Amino acid sequence: ELKVEQNPLFLSMQEGKNYTIYCNYSTTSDRLYWYRQDPGKSLESLFVLLSNGAVKQEGRLMASLDTKARLSTLHITAAVHDLSATYFCAVTTSGTYKYIFGTGTRLKVLA
Amino acid sequence: ETGVTQSPTHLIKTRGQQVTLRCSSQSGHNTVSWYQQALGQGPQFIFQYYREEENGRGNFPPRFSGLQFPNYSSELNVNALELDDSALYLCASSYSGLPFETQYFGPGTRLLVL
């Protein structure tokens, strides 16, 4: 059964600092997604990573995928308060559209 | 282009009751998936509908059932509600014709079972 783990679960960081969130998954996956969720809100799509070595960047967030290590990272550069949210990674299994979500990383950026 | 919408936004029920949640998919999308998100957890896949047929199911009991209509909107029905059914229920739509599609999530329905 495909399992997805994220770490850390909680992250409190100062504005202006850099940090990385890690997403490990247990078996081969077609693709990997990163979503953001604000408190009480739905999920907002951030990135879709499709192949080994894929890297995508949007603003202060950069996501990468290493399919051999079954690892994706979400790197935060020079964090700002507006990035405070919960970040989820999700993977899909071959032949289905079922998303398996990670446990989530709750990020709090302190001014 | 209209996004994914869900109704109602909030709902309070008592144990043993039945509930129906509704979802309208994004324009042009023919696939709808339902997820349950308990407080502090990641979403858990319930099931997916593609062109009115169930296309996959997660580890949820049969009292969780669904429908998809010809206009691709969908319902999630939960019978014999239990306290643990309290959660945010998310609907997501996608257009299965695209090679690498993303699921777009609605705002969710927050269900509280007392």
Side-chain angles (χ1 to χ4, degrees), chain A residues 1 30-31 33 35 37 39-45 48 50 88 92 95-104 106, chain B residues 31 33 35 37 40-43 45 48 55 57-59 88 90 96 99-108 110:
Chain A
E1 182 183 327
D30 289 342
R31 61 205 85 141
Y33 303 83
Y35 282 88
Q37 187 177 39
K41 304 292 185 182
S42 189
L43 298 166
E44 174 190 352
S45 175
V48 181
L50 304 176
F88 290 97
T92 56
T96 78
Y97 301 113
K98 173 181 177 180
Y99 280 29
I100 308 296
F101 280 85
T103 47
R106 189 177 300 176
Chain B
T31 303
S33 302
Y35 292 82
Q37 186 179 20
Q41 303 292 318
F45 176 75
Q48 181 183 86
N55 189 40
R57 188 178 182 91
N59 296 324
L88 179 68
L90 295 165
S96 62
F100 300 107
E101 63 191 68
T102 296
Q103 293 187 3
Y104 295 90
F105 285 81
R110 189 164 296 280

Side-chain angles (χ1 to χ4, degrees), chain A residues 8 14 21-22 24 30 37 40 43 57 63 68 81-82 89 94 96 100 111:
Chain A
Q14 296 288 330
I21 299 171
Y22 297 89
N24 289 91
D30 289 342
Q37 187 177 39
L43 298 166
Q57 183 163 4
K68 295 179 181 178
H81 179 71
D82 285 351
C89 64
S94 179
T96 78
I100 308 296

Side-chain angles (χ1 to χ4, degrees), chain B residues 7-37:
Chain B
S7 63
T9 55
H10 295 82
L11 204 50
I12 300 175
K13 292 285 189 178
T14 56
R15 215 167 25 170
Q17 286 189 311
Q18 179 265 341
V19 68
T20 297
L21 310 182
R22 294 178 175 82
C23 170
S24 291
S25 58
Q26 186 164 315
S27 177
H29 288 184
N30 58 18
T31 303
V32 172
S33 302
W34 286 92
Y35 292 82
Q36 180 195 66
Q37 186 179 20

Side-chain angles (χ1 to χ4, degrees), chain B:
Chain B
E1 183 179 276
T2 308
V4 180
T5 61
Q6 293 185 242
S7 63
T9 55
H10 295 82
L11 204 50
I12 300 175
K13 292 285 189 178
T14 56
R15 215 167 25 170
Q17 286 189 311
Q18 179 265 341
V19 68
T20 297
L21 310 182
R22 294 178 175 82
C23 170
S24 291
S25 58
Q26 186 164 315
S27 177
H29 288 184
N30 58 18
T31 303
V32 172
S33 302
W34 286 92
Y35 292 82
Q36 180 195 66
Q37 186 179 20
L39 196 62
Q41 303 292 318
Q44 300 289 315
F45 176 75
I46 302 175
F47 44 56
Q48 181 183 86
Y49 280 84
Y50 170 65
R51 294 186 175 179
E52 302 178 59
E53 297 287 331
E54 188 178 291
N55 189 40
R57 188 178 182 91
N59 296 324
F60 281 81
R63 59 190 185 84
F64 285 78
S65 63
L67 282 173
Q68 188 179 33
F69 300 99
N71 65 356
Y72 303 129
S73 65
S74 177
E75 287 183 354
L76 164 65
N77 299 290
V78 187
N79 294 321
L81 284 167
E82 300 177 359
L83 297 180
D84 285 349
D85 294 335
S86 296
L88 179 68
Y89 288 85
L90 295 165
C91 161
S93 76
S94 54
Y95 175 52
S96 62
L98 294 175
F100 300 107
E101 63 191 68
T102 296
Q103 293 187 3
Y104 295 90
F105 285 81
T109 293
R110 189 164 296 280
L111 172 64
L112 178 61
V113 182
L114 302 175

